[in-house]
Structure formats: C-alpha cells, structure tokens
Amino acid sequence: MNFSKSPRWTRRQALWLMTGAIAGASVHACAKPSEAPSAQSSATSAGAGSASIGITTWIGNTPLHIAQEKGFFKDLGLDLKIKVFDTVAQAFPAFTSGQLDGLAPVTSEAVTLASKGVDFKVVTVEDTSVGADVILARNSIKSIKEFKGKKIAVELGGIGHFFLLQVLAEAGLTGKDVTLVNTPPDAAAAAFQAGKVEIAYSYSPFSDQAIAAQKDGRVIYSSKQMPTAIADLYIFSSKFVQANSKAVAAFVEGNLKGVEFLKTNREEGLKIGAAKLKIKPEELDQQLKGIQIPDKATNVAMLGDANSDQYLLKPMTKLAEFLKAQGQITTVPDLSKVLEPQYVTAMK
C-alpha cells in the first residue's frame, strides 16, 4: 500500500536521493579538515567579499530573506547570491564541486554529507522544529506503545522516518513492531484525514489541515517534545571558510540581524518572508509557531556549549549512529569538526 501521489519535493527529502547526489558529485573540491581563521569581532569592515548559498522554499529562511531585502548583508560588505532549489539534495553537486559556497541542509543531510567526506562547517543554525513536525493518531490510540502492530504512513528514508523511529524507541518499540507505509508528508496527512491510516507523520501546514478536517484524531507526539531532533543549518565549505572568514562573519551577522528584525518589526518581516514563499503574511505567522529561529545566545549554546542541553553535537552524533544502524551511511563521522561556533560567539 502506498498513498503517494505525484512527488512533492520538500527540504526533507529521502536520503536515497541525497546519497545518489553525493555519489555523483566531486567531493575533492573541498579542502582537507582545517581550523578556520579567527572571525572578526564584527563584520562591519568593508570588503567582506561575496558568497553564494543554496536554499529551499522553507519558512526557516525568513530572516535570510529579510536580511537580503533590507540590505543587511550589503551594509556588512557582503555580496550574497541566493539560489533556490526544490530540494537541498539538488544542490549537493554544486556545493561539493565548489560552485556553491554554502548550503542550508537539515541535520540528517548534514550528517550524510559528513559521512561521505564532504568537509564543511556549521556556522549558524537556521531553525529547530518545536512542534512543526508531528505524529497524528486516532483518538482511540492512547499512547505510543499502542502503535505496536499498526500501520503508519511516513516517507521512508526521510527525516520523518528517523524522527518516528526515535519516538518509537522512547516507548521501547522498533520499526519492526509496526508496518511503515511509504508516504510523503502531504499525502500522509491526506490519508489520515480521509481515514485510510490510523497513524501518520507529517508537518505544518499539512498536519494542521488534516486535524482541522478530521475530528477523530490529534497530535499524539510533536517535535516540541524532542526539540533537538530536527534542525535546519547554514553550512559553508571549509575551503571557503578558510579563505573568506570576513564573508562568513558577515553572513552570520546579517542573518542574525534578520532574526532580530523579525522580532522587532514582525509585520514588515512577515510581509517580506511571505512574498518570497508566495503565501499570505498571516499564514507565515501561523507556520512560524512550529519552529524556533535561534538568536545569538541560542546559537552559541547549540554550536559551542557542551554543557547545554541544546548542544547539537549530542543529537547529531546519535542521529549518525542511527543512520549507520539503518544502513543509510557506512561510517559515523566526527561531527565535532563540523560545528563552528566562533562566528556567533564573536558577535557583539
């Protein structure tokens, strides 16, 4: 059984697509692991240079669009070129060959890249899912333990698959205890809404629409209960970071200025982001409630504070071990080498 309709490419594409994209790309263009030079205390010095980054159509990029629209990057001396792809996987060949300097992958994609020997640095966190990713279940299902023996609609190999298996593990279950029905997030929500499945993984806005229309069902578990499980990142190749420290510093500072602008000038910020996403500002406002867009302090905790429960190294390493156990990657990379907190810590 498969509830898939025509493919709907999202930022959270299946790992088989990513693996193929990486395998077909030249990874030697990225430099060997090396320490990045010290970031400037501020990127305001003229001549930060230029940079290019590949992103997808996703709400987490709202501050980035604000920063570009309001001229924050330009003011910091950075000429930033943004290229939008249907999926991050489509941008892998350009990134690994050096045609793109940066990328905006989800954590599982970043882990996959690292496992393939692609050398990059996570310089700032785009967003974390704090409720946008959900598992829907019928009202008669009282707990995750009751998933045993039931069918679950989820896209196999996608980030939702790994999120679901982590949730099952918390309840003492594994993927072998359930029947997984390969279904993209939008189709999974539609199947749940139509009563075709009892349990489904999806995310906003598809899950919101399903729950609004289907009264026999609710969110039984959301990413709010596992806030470090799904995060979107901004990464740059280590080769680019090594040679263009001012540009990276300007990117991080400009994007965080966009984060602050969204806080202090929300109405205007929503209009800018909504125009890029081709939705209404009120729709963007509602959808943003399902993610956390980290400010400077949160970025510091996520990238550089080993004592913080928000520190990304722990969940990303756990995810890498999980992906290896699932046969999605062959080696668990040393992810301590990819987290680069100096650009957020150097900001005033």
Side-chain angles (χ1 to χ4, degrees), residues 237-248:
S237 74
S238 293
K239 180 179 180 180
F240 182 81
V241 172
Q242 183 71 24
N244 301 274
S245 185
K246 287 185 179 180
V248 177

Side-chain angles (χ1 to χ4, degrees), residues 257-331:
K257 283 180 179 290
V259 173
E260 290 305 311
F261 187 91
L262 184 60
K263 289 181 181 178
T264 58
N265 301 270
R266 193 165 183 83
E267 186 175 348
E268 184 181 354
L270 288 171
K271 286 182 180 178
I272 293 172
K276 294 293 184 180
L277 296 167
K278 298 181 180 179
I279 58 177
K280 297 178 180 179
E282 54 267 30
E283 291 177 316
L284 176 57
D285 192 29
Q286 181 63 33
Q287 291 182 29
L288 284 173
K289 294 177 181 178
I291 64 173
Q292 178 193 45
I293 298 178
D295 57 12
K296 176 185 180 296
T298 305
N299 259 283
V300 170
M302 297 183 79
L303 295 180
D305 186 356
N307 296 318
S308 171
D309 58 4
Q310 295 178 301
Y311 189 45
L312 280 180
L313 181 59
K314 301 170 187 175
M316 286 183 70
T317 300
K318 183 178 179 181
L319 177 59
E321 292 169 348
F322 171 75
L323 293 176
K324 184 176 184 296
Q326 295 292 311
Q328 298 290 338
I329 62 177
T330 57
T331 60

Side-chain angles (χ1 to χ4, degrees), residues 5-212:
K5 47 187 179 182
S6 59
R8 180 188 180 92
W9 305 127
T10 71
R11 85 192 203 285
R12 296 167 181 168
Q13 192 47 271
L15 281 178
W16 63 264
L17 216 174
M18 289 182 256
T19 302
I22 298 169
S26 172
V27 300
H28 68 270
C30 295
K32 294 181 179 180
S34 58
E35 292 300 319
S38 297
Q40 302 293 321
S41 59
S42 172
T44 54
S45 56
S50 62
S52 59
I53 189 167
I55 66 170
T56 57
T57 302
W58 169 242
I59 58 175
N61 290 304
T62 298
L64 181 74
H65 293 309
I66 291 172
Q68 187 80 323
E69 182 74 17
K70 299 298 292 185
F72 297 157
F73 296 123
K74 185 177 180 180
D75 292 343
L76 293 166
L78 176 65
D79 176 18
L80 181 67
K81 296 178 176 62
I82 300 174
K83 185 169 183 180
V84 181
F85 294 81
D86 290 335
T87 71
V88 175
Q90 290 181 354
F92 282 168
F95 178 67
T96 57
S97 65
Q99 296 175 54
L100 279 175
D101 305 313
L103 209 59
V106 73
T107 42
S108 58
E109 294 167 331
V111 168
T112 303
L113 282 169
S115 75
K116 297 293 182 180
V118 180
D119 187 18
F120 63 87
K121 303 295 183 186
V122 179
V123 298
T124 190
V125 180
E126 178 184 340
D127 64 76
T128 57
S129 182
V130 289
D133 295 80
V134 302
I135 298 174
L136 307 174
R138 297 288 169 228
N139 295 329
S140 59
I141 300 174
K142 303 302 181 184
S143 69
I144 302 298
K145 289 184 178 181
E146 293 183 24
F147 283 15
K148 188 172 184 178
K150 297 186 181 298
K151 293 179 180 178
I152 304 176
V154 64
E155 185 174 29
L156 299 181
I159 188 65
H161 181 193
F162 310 124
F163 176 60
L164 171 65
L165 290 179
Q166 287 174 306
V167 173
L168 290 174
E170 282 189 346
L173 302 176
T174 71
K176 295 180 180 179
D177 293 313
V178 298
T179 300
L180 303 180
V181 183
N182 190 21
T183 320
D186 56 342
F192 183 83
Q193 179 179 328
K196 295 180 179 179
V197 290
E198 291 185 276
I199 309 165
Y201 160 82
S202 190
Y203 52 77
S204 179
F206 312 123
S207 55
D208 301 325
Q209 296 164 356
I211 289 298

